[in-house]
Amino acid sequence: MTPAVAALAVVCSATALSGVVTGGLWIFYVLIAVAVVSGTGLLLRAVRLPAPLVGIGQILALLCLLVTLFTRTGFLVVLPGPESLGDLWSVLGNSISEVQTGVPPVAESPAMRCLIMLAMGLVAVLVDTLAVGAAAPAASGLVLLCVFAVPASLADEMLPLWTFVLGAASFALLLVVDGQHRHEAWRGRMSGTGGSSSGGAATAVAGMAVVIALFAGATFTLIGTVGRLPGTGTAAGGGADGLGLKPLTELRGMLSQGETREMFHVRGLPDSAYLRAMTLQQYDPGSGEWSVGGALSEGSPARGDLPPQPGDPGDGKTTKVQIDPVGWNDVWLPVYGKPRKIENTDDTWRFDNARGMIYSLKKHKVGPYTLETVLENPSADELRRANGSAEGVDPVYFQINGIDQSITALARTVTQNESTKFDKATALYRYFTDGTQGFKYSTKTEGDSNADALVDFVINSKTGFCQQYSAAMAVMARSIGLPARVAIGFTGGYPTDDYKTITSLDAHAWVEIYFAGHGWMVFDPTPLTDGRGVIPSYIGGTGDDGQAQAPDEGDQSAAASSSAVPTTSSAAPVVDAQDLAGATPVETTPGWHWITLAVTGGLAALLTALLFLMPSVGALASFHRLPWARPAVAAAAAASWALTVALLIALFSWWLAVPLLLLAVAASPAAIRALRRHNRLQSIAGLGAQAANAAWEELIAESVDRGTRIPPTETVRVAARRMARAHNLDEQGRDGLRSVVGAVERSWYSGRADADPQLPQAVDDVRRSLSRNAPLALRARVLPRSVLQPTVPDEPED
């Protein structure tokens, strides 16, 4: 009872992860992990293995499961070896990267499933140890509280109510089991057989669980949290609310948007342009991260006219753009180009003109607002002439300390033939985008996770997405004296009716480089080709803002090309054929698998229903009276369910399904024996007309399991004497056996309908004596003879 409740509690608690992980397939992985841990615990305790070794065995079983599911290099497929452990470590490394850089809810990737399976498997080991091994089920509730604490601290919204209901219900069951344990301990103390130290042990276990819960809650709730404004308290930039986009880019991370949703509707934008939410000014070479860096300035109110940014002369033709943030709830208010005026905002928004972004101290939704901004760009010749000093620019935009010298040397080599700052910036841009250096776009990074992230990307793997490219180019630009920063925001979106729709898939990062007299200019080094990116006219686009590049993370779920965009607001972007050319083929489940799964599942349900309906439905009653009918239907139902479960598991891995099916077949005799024992004990406890027969059948089965052969022709008394001698029953067992024999004979010969009220206790005394004096061997537990070769004396006829 306790192992099953502990396993159920872990699964119910795991549902809290639905608030931070998209999809639903991961819950099946949790079910498999918890089942393996719980089943291993039952098996190891059945052979009386010491408690510490049970936990170690469960962890080893969990490791074998992970190796089977997430690697193809295990010894004999299942067993871990050096190569398979290395592969598994790589998968977990990818999952940690996704957690550290993702904004909940994160996508359900194979790496994320591996991490969830490992985490919940270890939780299952700990809960099973506390609830079963230490007999302190209530204490395990503190561990389960940690499972809720982590997603609750990460999720931007409250976790679904049903997860709390499931968690509370499972914890209530744990309390019920704990109450039973306390009652049994009390009875033991009253009879002088209980240990007086159980209360102290439970208290110690509970105290340890509290410490673990507090440590885990304080340590791991910071993993994967969305970004925070720098600073603390109520000073500018001191907010503590999560961001819609994490304000940093990591060379091995990604802008994880979770489920696709509409973010903005934009009207009045003549050409595609980047919608800038924030800029990052500080690079940490140790972690490979760009961050906002330092507290934001007090700035000026973001209402009405806005002051020009450093280097911006404040002139130029303005364009009025209407922005409706339909799905935006953040501390940043995105803007286009060089903003001059903003309307329909309140006093909570401030404009930091040095960074070129509008912010608030507290995250909140905002209604539609109107922006007047300069979208025109200078020509390439004008930027070449802007080769003077960058006076007025914060020195932080030049700082780049601690980077590998090979990066500086590479930047100098790339720009050695260029004489102006603009040509140097363009040379760096073309180094990543002209296709001659082997760089390729991918939503999955490659390379050595132990190497310097910047060197690994630029020189070794050359594979990544917008964060890698923008972070690397900004570092290289600073290394040769160009003031640079990384900007985060959104690409141009796609046309919908009379406006452009920008979704969470349009999230993007690019580089901005400062030029005296013109301000910050866009350079996007990400080599994309599906049409939603922007190549400014000074680099070589078409017109002032030529379209040529692509969306960023939007392309991982197929952002539309400019020639194939949807025309209704409900339509999703369409995949461009170019994106699929180099894509890794996705394994699909064959049709026969689904058909077989449906047939076996339906057959299993039908046979199960037949099993329950046979005794009560008139047309089936005569069939039910046949001696072989019910066992045959039950066996067919069990086989159908086993095959159905195997096919379900095979959706994840055939390597796991086949061994589990064989294991289920091997475990079926023990399962049948347990079911029969349960039914007989239930009948005995009910004291009905069949209670005495059920008691005798159960004791005969116990004797047969222990190797005694009782001929069907023997009387009850002769069989009882044989049983007592063969198993060396003690006085308590012999007394109980005499009571059972008397109850059986009265039932057979006296015609009494009700059983003796002392029958359940008598059966229990015999079974306890058998356990003490003739304990079952492991083989007898796994392959009970009473199932494989049943021998029960016939009831005498009247």
Side-chain angles (χ1 to χ4, degrees):
M1 178 67 175
T2 305
V5 173
L8 177 64
V10 174
V11 174
C12 290
S13 299
T15 60
L17 295 174
S18 61
V20 293
V21 181
T22 61
L25 190 59
W26 57 269
I27 192 65
F28 292 101
Y29 284 78
V30 172
L31 284 169
I32 294 172
V34 173
V36 167
V37 168
S38 181
T40 303
L42 285 172
L43 179 62
L44 296 181
R45 290 188 182 96
V47 297
R48 294 178 173 80
L49 206 64
L53 295 182
V54 171
I56 295 174
Q58 289 174 314
I59 293 175
L60 290 176
L62 178 63
L63 181 60
C64 291
L65 179 65
L66 294 174
V67 166
T68 304
L69 286 178
F70 298 101
T71 74
R72 290 293 181 267
T73 53
F75 179 68
L76 298 178
V77 180
V78 176
L79 300 178
E83 186 178 1
S84 61
L85 289 177
D87 293 343
L88 184 61
W89 183 255
S90 298
V91 175
L92 290 173
N94 293 336
S95 69
I96 294 298
S97 177
E98 293 179 19
V99 169
Q100 289 176 333
T101 60
V103 178
V106 297
E108 182 191 8
S109 64
M112 190 59 63
R113 294 185 198 123
C114 180
L115 179 63
I116 292 174
M117 197 174 216
L118 173 62
M120 296 313 303
L122 292 177
V123 168
V125 172
L126 185 55
V127 170
D128 186 78
T129 301
L130 291 172
V132 183
S140 63
L142 297 171
V143 180
L144 299 175
L145 182 61
C146 294
V147 179
F148 277 92
V150 174
S153 66
L154 302 184
D156 202 32
E157 300 177 353
M158 181 175 289
L159 297 179
L161 178 61
W162 59 270
T163 66
F164 291 104
V165 173
L166 288 177
S170 62
F171 184 65
L173 284 176
L174 279 173
L175 293 179
V176 170
V177 174
D178 187 55
Q180 291 179 345
H181 282 199
R182 292 176 183 274
H183 179 65
E184 291 173 2
W186 176 80
R187 289 178 59 189
R189 287 194 296 271
M190 291 296 291
S191 62
T193 60
S196 61
S197 63
S198 61
T203 302
V205 170
M208 185 180 300
V210 171
V211 173
I212 294 173
L214 292 175
F215 173 78
T219 304
F220 298 111
T221 54
L222 298 180
I223 296 178
T225 51
V226 289
R228 311 291 182 182
L229 282 170
T232 57
T234 58
D241 290 294
L243 309 177
L245 289 172
K246 194 173 183 180
L248 59 84
T249 56
E250 183 179 5
L251 288 175
R252 288 195 179 90
M254 67 179 295
L255 288 168
S256 177
Q257 304 86 11
E259 294 183 359
T260 306
R261 62 178 184 268
E262 292 186 353
M263 305 299 291
F264 303 95
H265 293 167
V266 179
R267 291 177 172 85
L269 191 67
D271 299 292
S272 290
Y274 287 143
L275 182 61
R276 182 176 62 250
M278 68 198 80
T279 59
L280 314 179
Q281 65 177 15
Q282 183 172 323
Y283 177 72
D284 180 4
S287 63
E289 295 178 351
W290 281 86
S291 61
V292 173
L296 303 179
S297 69
E298 185 67 26
S300 57
R303 296 187 68 180
D305 296 332
L306 303 176
Q309 301 176 57
D312 180 3
D315 56 3
K317 178 184 177 182
T318 62
T319 299
K320 182 176 288 189
V321 181
Q322 295 177 335
I323 304 173
D324 183 5
V326 292
W328 184 252
N329 181 16
D330 217 319
V331 295
W332 315 107
L333 194 64
V335 295
Y336 285 103
K338 303 172 184 177
R340 297 285 187 256
K341 185 177 182 180
I342 191 168
E343 299 175 348
N344 302 327
T345 55
D346 56 40
D347 293 332
T348 61
W349 297 100
R350 311 291 296 181
F351 179 56
D352 187 337
N353 69 322
R355 299 176 189 252
M357 57 191 188
I358 297 175
Y359 69 92
S360 173
L361 294 178
K362 186 176 181 180
K363 179 176 64 174
H364 62 282
K365 290 184 69 67
V366 63
Y369 57 97
T370 301
L371 176 70
E372 293 185 21
T373 185
V374 176
L375 298 174
E376 292 180 341
N377 288 314
S379 66
D381 289 337
E382 288 175 319
L383 291 177
R384 286 190 179 94
R385 292 192 294 269
N387 209 31
S389 62
E391 294 182 4
V393 176
D394 192 323
V396 72
Y397 293 111
F398 291 90
Q399 293 176 3
I400 190 69
N401 300 319
I403 65 169
D404 194 283
Q405 290 302 309
S406 61
I407 299 298
T408 302
L410 177 61
R412 290 173 179 169
T413 300
V414 171
T415 60
Q416 63 183 352
N417 297 325
E418 310 300 340
S419 57
T420 69
K421 293 182 178 179
F422 171 75
D423 289 323
K424 291 179 184 292
T426 304
L428 289 176
Y429 160 79
R430 298 197 185 283
Y431 175 75
F432 291 103
T433 60
D434 65 5
T436 63
Q437 302 300 321
F439 286 96
K440 63 179 181 178
Y441 177 85
S442 174
T443 57
K444 295 186 180 298
T445 57
E446 299 176 358
D448 182 4
S449 60
N450 297 317
D452 181 285
L454 181 62
V455 174
D456 186 39
F457 169 68
V458 175
I459 297 178
N460 299 327
S461 73
K462 296 187 176 184
T463 300
F465 37 95
C466 72
Q467 289 196 126
Q468 280 73 32
Y469 286 99
S470 58
M473 179 179 171
V475 169
M476 294 175 71
R478 287 192 183 182
S479 71
I480 57 174
L482 300 179
R485 68 190 185 190
V486 174
I488 291 182
F490 298 88
T491 56
Y494 59 89
T496 307
D497 296 333
D498 63 338
Y499 58 87
K500 282 195 173 183
T501 296
I502 296 175
T503 72
S504 55
L505 291 177
D506 291 302
H508 192 55
W510 62 92
V511 178
E512 294 183 351
I513 296 178
Y514 179 85
F515 293 90
H518 298 281
W520 295 95
M521 297 289 105
V522 172
F523 290 82
D524 185 359
T526 307
L528 303 173
T529 57
D530 71 350
R532 288 163 88 195
V534 175
I535 298 181
S537 57
Y538 48 80
I539 295 179
T542 58
D544 290 335
D545 281 302
Q547 283 184 260
Q549 275 184 238
D552 184 49
E553 276 60 45
D555 25 313
Q556 64 183 291
S557 84
S561 66
S562 58
S563 61
V565 293
T567 57
T568 62
S569 58
S570 62
V574 181
V575 179
D576 185 66
Q578 294 181 6
D579 296 332
L580 301 179
T584 301
V586 178
E587 295 184 5
T588 58
T589 303
W592 66 263
H593 192 136
W594 292 108
I595 295 173
T596 307
L597 179 60
V599 170
T600 57
L603 182 60
L606 181 63
L607 290 173
T608 303
L610 180 62
L611 200 60
F612 286 99
L613 293 176
M614 277 195 305
S616 57
V617 177
L620 299 174
S622 57
F623 176 71
H624 177 257
R625 284 192 290 270
L626 296 175
W628 53 267
R630 188 173 182 83
V633 174
S640 299
W641 280 119
L643 186 57
T644 300
V645 172
L647 290 171
L648 281 173
I649 297 174
L651 293 174
F652 314 129
S653 170
W654 277 105
W655 291 108
L656 180 63
V658 173
L660 286 181
L661 180 60
L662 295 177
L663 183 62
V665 172
S668 58
I672 294 173
R673 177 69 181 96
L675 180 62
R676 288 178 179 176
R677 181 188 298 114
H678 176 269
N679 292 338
R680 288 166 181 162
L681 294 179
Q682 287 288 101
S683 178
I684 295 168
L687 298 177
Q690 296 300 317
N693 281 342
W696 184 240
E697 289 173 2
E698 177 57 27
L699 294 185
I700 290 294
E702 291 276 7
S703 182
V704 170
D705 287 343
R706 287 166 169 80
T708 301
R709 180 172 178 82
I710 299 179
T713 56
E714 285 187 346
T715 65
V716 175
R717 291 182 178 273
V718 173
R721 286 195 293 270
R722 180 191 296 273
M723 188 185 304
R725 289 194 305 270
H727 308 308
N728 195 28
L729 294 184
D730 53 27
E731 191 63 31
Q732 183 183 25
R734 289 174 180 268
D735 289 342
L737 186 57
R738 280 191 288 270
S739 298
V740 173
V741 170
V744 171
E745 289 180 339
R746 284 191 297 273
S747 172
W748 287 357
Y749 302 116
S750 70
R752 292 178 53 182
D754 297 331
D756 186 345
Q758 301 300 318
L759 181 62
Q761 183 61 49
V763 173
D764 187 58
D765 288 342
V766 178
R767 294 181 67 236
R768 289 177 182 271
S769 181
L770 287 170
S771 297
R772 288 192 298 267
N773 299 288
L776 279 174
L778 177 60
R779 180 178 179 180
R781 293 175 183 270
V782 177
L783 300 173
R785 294 186 181 185
S786 60
V787 173
L788 301 178
Q789 38 184 306
T791 303
V792 179
D794 294 331
E795 179 180 345
E797 297 180 359
D798 295 335

